[in-house]
Amino acid sequence: MKTFNISEWIKFRSNLSKDLSIGFVPTMGALHEGHLSLVKQSLLENEITLVSIYINPTQFDNSSDFKNYPHHLESDISILESLSSDNLFLLIPEYKDIYPDDYAFKVSENNFSRILCGKFRKGHFDGVLTIVLKLLNISGAQKAYFGEKDFQQLTLIKDMVHAFFVPIKIIACPIVREQDGLAMSSRNKRLSEEQRRQAPEIYKVLNQNLNKEKAEQYLHQYGIDLEYLELHNNRKYIAANIGEVRLIDNIDVKEEHKL
Ligand code: AMP
């Protein structure tokens, strides 16, 4: 699998035929089956798939969370290579290249980004929207794949693409879960064995009809601190901390969910 920095990718892309379909999958690495479901869908729907791995500093509101975010570049490369596709390419940007402005310019949304995760992580979605806009422009893709795992992020990205007339189709992919219901996440790698056993309670709470206070009490027994549990447009969203690890999940309340 060929790996590029930004200028190498832009050069490579400019030499490709303009009719070639490109699918793009941006990630922060520490790849798992959730990421791979996006990559596989893109490989099926496009002639070329570009995956990016970049732990974007501007979207972290907390420096220890940024420092402790899992870095697994070597194993990520092996995982992508194990897909054995000649149509798969990897972009690994560097800060100085992707932020030539040192984050002087940013994309801000002042409605949906202010609730749920945005209420607790100041500036988070500015960082997300800014990096995603840069990456979408660099990719040159016609389609970009995002997981419903980060449903608020997915919604804001769709809205940004619409607002700025970005010529790219945003494809939403369903949440991939572990057998016990826990939504796959790179952050799960930071859980101790005991925390990992308790983490599926977050999904269980989401599927019960509990108010915030009852949910808080329920999760507390498992050493989990509820940050928020909220219904918005037929979707129930949750964020909770297990020790230092912050996990999020969501479900469509119109669908029945079973473990
Ligand atoms: P991340 O590396 O966490 O920034 O995620 C990169 C992309 O993978 C985002 O579009 C996520 O929504 C998506 N993703 C992460 N975890 C999952 C999952 N469990 N199921 C589906 N998509 C996921």
Side-chain angles (χ1 to χ4, degrees), residues 176-178 180-184 188 191 196 199-200 203 247 249:
V176 179
R177 298 183 178 281
E178 302 285 356
D180 56 16
L182 176 66
M184 289 192 184
N188 295 350
L191 298 171
R196 173 62 190 84
Y203 182 56
L247 299 178
D249 201 347

Side-chain angles (χ1 to χ4, degrees), residues 58-69:
T58 68
Q59 72 189 66
F60 286 84
D61 56 320
N62 169 327
S63 60
S64 91
D65 189 25
F66 176 56
K67 261 206 314 269
N68 291 318
Y69 197 86

Side-chain angles (χ1 to χ4, degrees), residues 50-239:
L50 179 68
V51 175
S52 66
I53 296 182
Y54 182 60
I55 304 174
N56 173 38
T58 68
Q59 72 189 66
F60 286 84
D61 56 320
N62 169 327
S63 60
S64 91
D65 189 25
F66 176 56
K67 261 206 314 269
N68 291 318
Y69 197 86
H71 289 61
H72 292 274
L73 190 56
E74 269 181 41
S75 56
D76 287 346
I77 292 175
S78 320
I79 289 171
L80 292 173
E81 280 178 339
S82 72
L83 296 176
S84 309
S85 171
D86 293 337
N87 305 326
L88 189 56
F89 299 93
L90 178 60
L91 174 69
I92 305 181
E94 279 183 43
Y95 181 84
K96 65 173 176 23
D97 298 332
I98 198 141
Y99 286 104
D101 58 330
D102 203 14
Y103 199 40
F105 289 96
K106 62 172 88 163
V107 180
S108 249
E109 193 270 4
N110 59 21
N111 187 10
F112 188 44
S113 72
R114 301 293 160 95
I115 63 169
L116 304 170
C117 283
K119 187 166 156 196
F120 294 89
R121 302 185 72 193
K122 294 281 173 244
H124 168 65
F125 286 117
D126 290 1
V128 168
L129 294 173
T130 304
I131 193 74
V132 169
L133 182 60
K134 287 167 184 269
L135 288 169
L136 294 180
N137 284 334
I138 292 163
S139 74
Q142 292 85 19
K143 290 182 183 169
Y145 297 77
F146 291 87
E148 291 184 344
K149 157 81 189 350
D150 302 278
F151 204 90
Q152 187 179 13
Q153 166 179 290
L154 166 71
T155 306
L156 287 164
I157 291 168
K158 279 187 180 163
D159 291 351
M160 173 182 72
V161 160
H162 179 71
F164 289 108
F165 303 90
V166 184
I168 196 160
K169 189 162 181 221
I170 302 299
I171 313 280
C173 303
I175 303 178
V176 179
R177 298 183 178 281
E178 302 285 356
Q179 287 221 316
D180 56 16
L182 176 66
M184 289 192 184
S185 164
S186 303
R187 292 173 194 271
N188 295 350
K189 294 190 168 70
R190 292 184 58 206
L191 298 171
S192 68
E193 261 178 50
E194 198 194 344
Q195 290 170 333
R196 173 62 190 84
R197 276 195 299 277
Q198 289 160 338
E201 298 300 331
I202 295 173
Y203 182 56
K204 282 195 200 152
V205 157
L206 208 46
N207 283 284
Q208 288 166 15
N209 227 341
L210 298 179
N211 64 27
K212 187 166 186 270
E213 199 181 317
K214 287 271 180 295
E216 202 158 13
Q217 285 168 5
Y218 178 88
L219 289 173
H220 196 69
Q221 311 167 70
Y222 298 95
I224 303 174
D225 277 331
L226 181 66
E227 188 177 88
Y228 66 75
L229 175 68
E230 274 181 50
L231 190 66
H232 185 85
N233 284 348
N234 287 324
R235 195 160 277 272
K236 216 195 289 182
Y237 295 82
I238 193 166

Side-chain angles (χ1 to χ4, degrees), residues 175 177 203 207 235 250-259:
I175 303 178
R177 298 183 178 281
Y203 182 56
N207 283 284
R235 195 160 277 272
N250 67 87
I251 54 168
D252 182 338
V253 291
K254 290 177 301 184
E255 283 171 21
E256 212 185 322
H257 289 264
K258 294 205 179 89
L259 285 180

